[in-house]
């Protein structure tokens, strides 16, 4: 998540000082990605250095507010119309763990899958409770509707991500069962250096090929 | 959310096994499953096709009989009941909600909901009053006089939930109740089910979707007829997963 873009987008609404930016950012994302105030000030200093924001003076408590410059405004406008970069895949510990589990001897992969599925489901239950509360709040509260909506959307994103993870784990389990029942070399075996086996002509890709494809993007 | 923890469960499966076929053709659909569902609780059962989810639900509702072990509904073992007595217990104590709603097309919503009570000997007037109350509780009383083909899928499923919990019925068994609905409507149905359980019903929800199972207080995972884990009981889960035990 780019803190820089987030702060710029908030400043497009009105001038704010550091602590205010931090609390606005957290309120709109439900505190899902907490910022420390030092991070906010460091980012503001860089934005000022790059000519994207400028100080508008201090209030009576000495807090300095910042506003966007013309260049800053253009940068925000550009951000809204640009897609988020999905080319570089962030490193995902679970994907790496499963990829290693199927290639390292002696790992109980079924147990790895089930342990994770239970934990993810438990997390999904927590998120669903939060969502129930957020939905009720959104329906009853008129003052802060857009912030409630933002929080609900963040929660729903986390719920869909959790659901996708469980579906993927179900898929891993089903594929391992299929691979185990195949009358040929086990897919779990570590590929040998003689170049034989896993890439046999006409054979569908083995489980570890699928997972390693995912990992290649996770630099 | 389990408001009556410690009391007797509304539904208890005690070491239930169901074997189909005999001898060499025998298949164990369910093997030694124990599960309690209390008033105020919604329990989800997840598992792939063939894991025993539907068998479990059918046994819980008295639509199928256990090969061994016991199924108790509000303390009464249903294995010993035969014919009419079993049908009566089902009618009075258990409600089903299916993926395809299963409302009778020639009856209005209120007639559908009142039907199990009328079959049970209630006077029409009283059955209708209780049916209207059940419709109100899920927020669809304005649909009382509408026929199923004039209702949306979500509305039909809410009527089906009303029917499942009409009168004294407190146990609702739901088999993929959101399967035929779009995501938003399906969520509305789960919300209603959740609210009815929060108000004191006991719910058993079979689903293969994690997002839906997450509405439950507890999620039980079935594999090959065996409970392999549960989100509600860390101790059991650890015991089950620890090969040393």
């Amino acid at each position: 998540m780019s803190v820089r873009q987030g702060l710029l987008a908030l400043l497009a609404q009105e001038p704010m000082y550091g602590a205010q930016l931090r609390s606005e950012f957290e309120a709109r994302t439900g505190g899902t990605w907490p910022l420390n105030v030092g991070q906010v000030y460091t980012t503001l200093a860089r934005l000022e250095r790059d000519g994207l924001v400028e100080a508008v003076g201090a209030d009576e408590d000495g807090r300095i507010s910042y506003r966007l410059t013309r260049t800053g405004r253009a940068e925000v406008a550009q951000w809204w119309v640009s897609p988020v970069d999905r080319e570089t895949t962030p490193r995902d510990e679970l994907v790496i763990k499963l990829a290693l589990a199927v290639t390292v001897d002696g790992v109980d992969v079924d147990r790895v899958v089930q342990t994770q599925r239970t934990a993810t489901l438990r997390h999904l239950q927590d998120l669903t409770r939060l969502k129930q509360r957020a939905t009720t709040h959104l329906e009853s509260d008129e003052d802060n509707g857009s912030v409630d909506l933002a929080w609900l959307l963040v929660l729903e994103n986390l719920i869909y991500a959790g659901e996708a993870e469980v579906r993927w784990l179900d898929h891993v389990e089903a594929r391992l069962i299929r691979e185990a029942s195949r009358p040929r070399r086990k897919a779990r075996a570590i590929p040998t250096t003689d170049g034989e086996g896993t890439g046999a002509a006409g054979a569908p890709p083995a489980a570890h090929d699928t997972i390693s494809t995912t990992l290649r993007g996770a630099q | 959310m389990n408001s009556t923890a410690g009391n007797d469960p509304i539904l208890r499966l005690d070491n239930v096994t169901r074997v189909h076929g005999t001898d060499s053709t025998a298949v164990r659909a369910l093997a030694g499953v124990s599960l309690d569902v209390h008033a105020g609780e919604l329990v989800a059962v997840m598992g792939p096709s063939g894991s025993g989810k539907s068998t479990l639900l059918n046994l819980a509702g008295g639509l199928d009989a256990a090969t061994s072990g016991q199924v108790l509904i509000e303390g009464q073992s249903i294995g010993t009941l035969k014919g009419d007595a079993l049908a009566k217990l089902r009618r009075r104590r258990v409600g089903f909600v299916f993926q395809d709603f299963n409302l009778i097309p020639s009856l209005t919503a209120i007639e559908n909901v009142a039907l199990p009570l009328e079959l049970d000997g209630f006077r029409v007037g009283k059955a209708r009053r209780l049916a209207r109350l059940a419709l109100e509780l899920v927020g669809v009383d304005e649909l009382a006089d509408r026929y199923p083909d004039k209702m949306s899928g979500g509305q039909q499923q809410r009527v089906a939930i009303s029917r499942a919990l009409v009168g004294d019925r407190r146990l609702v068994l739901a088999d993929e109740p959101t399967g035929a609905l779009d995501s938003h409507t399906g969520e509305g149905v789960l919300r209603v089910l959740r609210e009815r359980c929060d108000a004191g019903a006991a719910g058993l929800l079979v689903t293969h979707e994690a997002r839906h199972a997450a509405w439950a207080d507890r999620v039980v995972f079935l594999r090959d007829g065996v409970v392999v884990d549960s989100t509600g009981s860390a101790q059991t889960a650890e015991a089950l997963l620890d090969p040393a035990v």
Side-chain angles (χ1 to χ4, degrees):
Chain A
M1 166 61 210
S2 166
V3 175
R4 176 186 161 98
Q5 302 296 358
L7 298 191
L8 285 173
L10 286 172
L11 288 174
Q13 198 175 327
E14 58 179 335
M16 285 184 230
Y17 52 86
Q20 207 177 354
L21 279 166
R22 174 195 176 200
S23 63
E24 281 295 319
F25 180 86
E26 292 189 357
R28 288 158 202 242
T29 52
T32 312
W33 299 279
L35 290 180
N36 70 54
V37 85
Q39 200 176 0
V40 173
Y41 281 113
T42 315
T43 309
L44 278 172
R46 285 198 198 119
L47 290 170
E48 192 174 23
R49 178 198 67 198
D50 296 343
L52 298 170
V53 304
E54 59 194 6
V56 289
D59 64 10
E60 55 197 24
D61 295 323
R63 293 176 300 206
I64 301 166
S65 287
Y66 292 84
R67 69 176 169 215
L68 293 185
T69 61
R70 185 190 290 263
T71 322
R73 236 165 248 294
E75 171 120 357
V76 174
Q78 189 55 43
W79 188 52
W80 294 127
V81 297
S82 310
V84 171
D85 179 17
R86 292 290 186 225
E87 295 293 314
T88 49
T89 311
R91 198 173 275 153
D92 183 325
E93 184 182 342
L94 178 60
V95 181
I96 295 168
K97 189 193 257 191
L98 258 302
L100 292 174
V102 299
T103 49
V104 171
D105 281 340
V107 179
D108 182 347
V109 187
D110 290 342
R111 180 171 163 178
V112 174
V113 169
Q114 185 55 50
T115 304
Q116 187 61 48
R117 183 163 36 212
T118 305
T120 306
L121 229 315
R122 225 175 252 144
H123 181 54
L124 272 176
Q125 286 176 288
D126 291 340
L127 291 169
T128 303
R129 279 182 210 115
L130 287 173
K131 181 183 161 169
Q132 265 178 281
R133 248 179 274 158
T135 309
T136 311
H137 203 251
L138 180 67
E139 286 167 0
S140 64
D141 182 34
E142 288 171 10
D143 300 340
N144 227 353
S146 64
V147 170
D148 287 343
L149 176 64
W151 169 222
L152 188 61
L153 293 176
V154 170
L155 277 174
E156 286 176 333
N157 173 271
L158 299 174
I159 288 171
Y160 278 107
E163 181 188 37
E165 186 166 289
V166 173
R167 288 174 83 162
W168 179 69
L169 289 166
D170 288 345
H171 167 80
V172 168
E173 186 179 63
R175 187 178 278 285
L176 288 174
I177 291 168
R178 278 203 303 277
E179 290 298 320
S181 65
R182 232 197 317 211
R184 64 173 189 73
R185 248 173 64 173
K186 279 193 171 179
R188 274 187 219 184
I190 298 169
T192 52
T193 49
D194 59 8
E196 285 180 4
T198 54
H208 59 254
D209 288 341
T210 312
I211 292 173
S212 63
T213 305
T214 314
L215 275 176
R216 270 197 289 276
Q219 300 302 324
Chain B
M1 292 197 203
N2 182 1
S3 54
T4 55
N7 294 356
D8 286 341
I10 302 284
L11 172 69
R12 165 165 285 175
L13 271 70
D14 183 13
N15 200 19
V16 169
T17 293
R18 176 69 172 103
V19 180
H20 296 293
T22 51
D23 300 331
S24 61
T25 61
V27 177
R28 280 205 310 184
L30 223 52
V33 169
S34 295
L35 176 72
D36 284 357
V37 187
H38 289 85
E41 205 180 21
L42 177 62
V43 176
V45 180
M46 284 192 82
S49 307
S51 61
K53 300 192 300 281
S54 299
T55 303
L56 191 153
L57 207 67
N58 289 339
L59 287 165
L63 299 175
D64 189 7
T67 309
S68 67
Q70 270 198 321
V71 177
L72 296 102
I73 295 174
E74 299 191 34
Q76 170 144 37
S77 170
I78 64 173
T80 53
L81 298 176
K82 298 267 176 280
D84 286 354
L86 180 59
K88 192 190 267 183
L89 178 96
R90 264 206 308 263
R91 221 160 43 225
R92 290 187 176 170
R93 299 291 171 210
V94 190
F96 288 91
V97 178
F98 301 98
Q99 181 170 336
D100 51 1
F101 324 129
N102 277 37
L103 298 177
I104 296 173
S106 58
L107 300 180
T108 61
I110 197 165
E111 288 166 350
N112 264 287
V113 176
L115 187 64
L117 299 176
E118 288 178 27
L119 287 173
D120 212 24
F122 278 72
R123 285 166 182 266
V124 172
K126 179 158 193 205
R128 295 288 167 93
R129 270 199 304 283
L130 289 168
R132 188 168 292 279
L133 178 65
L135 288 168
E136 276 171 23
L137 288 173
V138 304
V140 287
D141 42 318
E142 80 280 4
L143 303 174
D145 298 320
R146 219 178 274 185
Y147 288 93
D149 66 352
K150 300 287 181 230
M151 291 184 242
S152 70
Q155 289 172 332
Q156 289 189 60
Q157 201 60 305
R158 282 162 193 254
V159 172
I161 292 173
S162 308
R163 182 182 56 185
L165 290 169
V166 69
D168 287 340
R169 303 209 273 180
R170 286 207 290 169
L171 176 60
V172 54
L173 305 175
D175 193 356
E176 302 279 4
T178 56
L181 305 172
D182 67 66
S183 156
H184 180 72
T185 311
E187 191 172 302
V189 165
L190 287 168
R191 227 175 149 182
V192 165
L193 197 57
R194 176 75 262 174
E195 283 166 8
R196 297 320 304 142
C197 290
D198 287 341
L204 189 63
L205 164 70
V206 162
T207 180
H208 64 275
E209 299 222 32
R211 193 158 39 90
H212 297 160
W215 284 79
D217 299 294
R218 198 147 41 94
V219 183
V220 172
F221 297 93
L222 271 186
R223 287 291 177 283
D224 300 326
V226 177
V227 175
V228 292
D229 208 354
S230 157
T231 63
S233 154
Q235 218 174 4
T236 314
E238 276 165 28
L240 282 164
L241 286 169
D242 188 348
V245 173

